[in-house]
Amino acid sequence: MARKPPAGPPLREALAAEFAVSAGRPDEAVDWYLEAARAAPGDAALASRATQYALMGRDDAALREALALWSARAPDSIGMQGARATLALRTGRARAARAELEKMLREGGARGWLAAYAVLGTGSRDPELSARVLGQLFERDALPTQPMALAAAGQLALGLGDDALFGRIDEVARELHPADPAMGLLRVSHLHRAGRSAEARQVLDALAAGDPSNPRIRERIALGYAELGDPAAGAALLGAGPAPGDDLGQIALRASLLADADDKQALEALYQGLSAGAEVPNPARRLLLGQVAEFLERPGEALEWYRSVPGGEQRDTARLRETKVLHDLDRRDEAWAALRALQQDAAADDRLRRDAYLMESELRRADGDDAAELDALARGLAAFPDESALLYSRALMWERRDDIPRAEADLRRILVAEPDSTAALNALGYTLADRTDRYEEALELIERARIAEPANAAIIDSYGWVLHRLGRDEEALVELRRAFVLEKDAEIASHVGTVLWQLGRRDEAMEWFEQARSIDPENRSLRRALEDIGA
């Protein structure tokens, strides 16, 4: 914990607190905000800020004091109740936590249950305790029973690793809302991850048979079929929906699923149907026709469609896709010339010109031409100095080539122009944690990103990973599991497995590695982790 600052005017203390926040030192910021709050007895905002940052740290005494000041100065609010529930969970007082959460659930409406589930999902250091409290709330009939709220509770139960509780919540949902697609889709995902894919398929078939009128629900069901390994069924569901032309976004998804299923015959029929209405110069339709032609591996036709897009935002996308198609046609000189023309077109939108440099770098990388990839990014940065997307791409390129100093330099250039860029802060912090031994510096950078986006799964994952590199494996495990609750990602799962392996919990570790493999068998972090442990 930082040294307690000397007494001083609240303005000075508040400025010092903000400086600590910007430097990525939330514990120090809490100290300063508390000093400011003590010196300004009527200021609820200072106490609220102290509580906000104390919630991110591990100093429960500071959180307790900040919350007491806030509670004494402002009316009760959902945020205050959530802070009290978080403190109770952290200090093992399950009954007190349950009382606060129950009040939020019963009186706060949608904001209340969203905040309560956020506390249980990410505010506790003990997922088992959170699951137990959620189960107690369920038993006391405190959970809201609207479809969305039940689906959120079920998702939370799964994220906390309590499959039995999910089953009980699901049973209530099926009784009250038997046709609710949101809970049904969650049930499908759960059954599939549990290895019960045949049951998952039955549930999905029942949802599809219900003929959902909401097109977005139809799309989610179609994607569910793809998740189960049957994209053709998803495409068939979309094909039984509105006539072509009613929803080009849904048609595009159907085309993508047909391409995944390698169903050239159905894709050809879709292509012909779209072509029949192409006399009218609809930019979106012609852009989609070009994309479908690419799926059909007809780059020549794709090129014609892209070149026929008449104007607007779609025209910019089509001009960029033309260069990719020329590359696929092995007309590389034309592709490079077209990209150079875009890059030098003074009348073109700056975003399109920038994207032309990014596209060239990607195509050069696909060709295995490292020097040309670097040259494309260098020319882009000459045209758009300090442009963050170009710098970010070049930083990733350096990292792939194990040139960490140059990757760091580019990420720091982004931060000079955009000091609050959470993407750059997180990328640099993670790179330093993963590829160097500068762990304290990495922690400070990640803390700055975490302050800005405390619920960002990627940032929480980075935070857990740097804690692991610092040897704080028990703390790291809590954070990494929190990240996985928010996002089922192969890299996060491989990090959990690595920490468990380090803690000697080898069987659990292998379960997490298998889960990572099921999400993305080619994940780079997973491959490195398995190599490190010799598996």
Side-chain angles (χ1 to χ4, degrees), residues 294 298-304 306-307 318-342 359 363 367:
E294 283 197 73
R298 298 181 187 174
E301 292 179 36
L303 186 62
E304 290 181 19
Y306 288 142
R307 286 177 170 172
R319 290 180 73 188
L320 204 59
R321 293 303 304 174
E322 284 178 40
T323 64
K324 172 68 166 60
V325 172
L326 287 168
H327 183 271
D328 292 345
L329 285 166
D330 214 15
R331 292 159 59 180
R332 284 172 169 70
D333 288 342
E334 291 179 65
W336 309 139
L339 283 164
R340 290 294 181 100
L342 281 175
M359 174 66 82
L363 296 179
D367 288 345

Side-chain angles (χ1 to χ4, degrees), residues 181-182 185-186 204 215-225 253:
L185 287 164
L186 186 59
L204 200 56
R216 303 290 83 85
I217 294 295
R218 292 178 69 86
E219 290 173 12
R220 289 180 61 191
I221 294 173
L223 289 169
Y225 279 115
L253 175 58

Side-chain angles (χ1 to χ4, degrees), residues 232-499:
L237 174 66
L238 295 178
D246 288 352
D247 190 336
L248 288 176
Q250 192 169 108
I251 295 172
L253 175 58
R254 183 178 173 222
S256 175
L257 292 171
L258 289 171
D260 287 345
D262 198 27
D263 189 341
K264 295 291 177 60
Q265 184 175 356
L267 197 56
E268 174 68 35
L270 177 64
Y271 182 56
Q272 294 303 327
L274 278 171
S275 301
E279 316 78 46
V280 179
N282 181 318
R285 179 182 288 267
R286 293 191 176 188
L287 177 62
L288 178 56
L289 278 161
Q291 293 167 329
V292 176
E294 283 197 73
F295 284 142
L296 286 167
E297 299 176 1
R298 298 181 187 174
E301 292 179 36
L303 186 62
E304 290 181 19
W305 285 119
Y306 288 142
R307 286 177 170 172
S308 75
V309 175
E313 180 182 343
Q314 291 86 0
R315 177 61 189 146
D316 285 350
T317 303
R319 290 180 73 188
L320 204 59
R321 293 303 304 174
E322 284 178 40
T323 64
K324 172 68 166 60
V325 172
L326 287 168
H327 183 271
D328 292 345
L329 285 166
D330 214 15
R331 292 159 59 180
R332 284 172 169 70
D333 288 342
E334 291 179 65
W336 309 139
L339 283 164
R340 290 294 181 100
L342 281 175
Q343 293 160 4
Q344 297 167 12
D345 185 352
D349 181 82
D350 279 352
R351 182 178 296 272
L352 175 61
R353 294 176 57 222
R354 179 206 67 183
D355 288 349
Y357 289 106
L358 291 170
M359 174 66 82
E360 182 181 353
S361 72
E362 291 173 14
L363 296 179
R364 299 287 192 182
R365 179 187 172 197
D367 288 345
D369 192 338
D370 290 353
E373 178 191 5
L374 177 58
D375 177 67
L377 291 169
R379 285 187 285 103
L381 285 164
F384 298 96
D386 298 324
E387 212 291 328
S388 58
L390 291 162
L391 285 169
Y392 198 86
S393 290
R394 192 168 69 174
L396 296 182
M397 179 200 72
W398 292 129
E399 192 275 337
R400 287 193 306 271
R401 300 182 188 182
D402 298 320
D403 192 336
I404 304 307
R406 283 179 170 164
E408 177 183 352
D410 278 343
L411 291 169
R412 289 197 184 279
R413 279 182 64 184
I414 296 173
L415 292 171
V416 168
E418 303 174 36
D420 297 325
S421 169
T422 53
L425 287 167
N426 186 53
L428 179 54
Y430 180 79
T431 299
L432 294 181
D434 194 50
R435 306 297 296 276
T436 77
D437 58 3
R438 293 155 59 190
Y439 306 139
E440 293 292 348
E441 187 178 354
L443 178 61
E444 183 174 301
L445 290 160
I446 293 166
E447 285 282 30
R448 286 171 61 189
R450 197 166 70 103
I451 286 168
E453 298 184 35
N456 184 308
I459 294 171
I460 297 171
D461 173 58
S462 296
Y463 181 55
W465 192 241
V466 73
L467 290 176
H468 162 64
R469 301 288 274 177
L470 286 163
R472 297 158 58 181
D473 284 329
E474 292 290 355
E475 296 175 58
L477 191 57
V478 170
E479 299 300 332
L480 293 170
R481 282 178 163 165
R482 286 179 61 221
F484 196 75
V485 167
L486 294 170
E487 183 176 344
K488 302 297 181 286
D489 178 82
E491 184 164 351
I492 299 173
S494 71
H495 286 163
V496 176
T498 299
V499 174

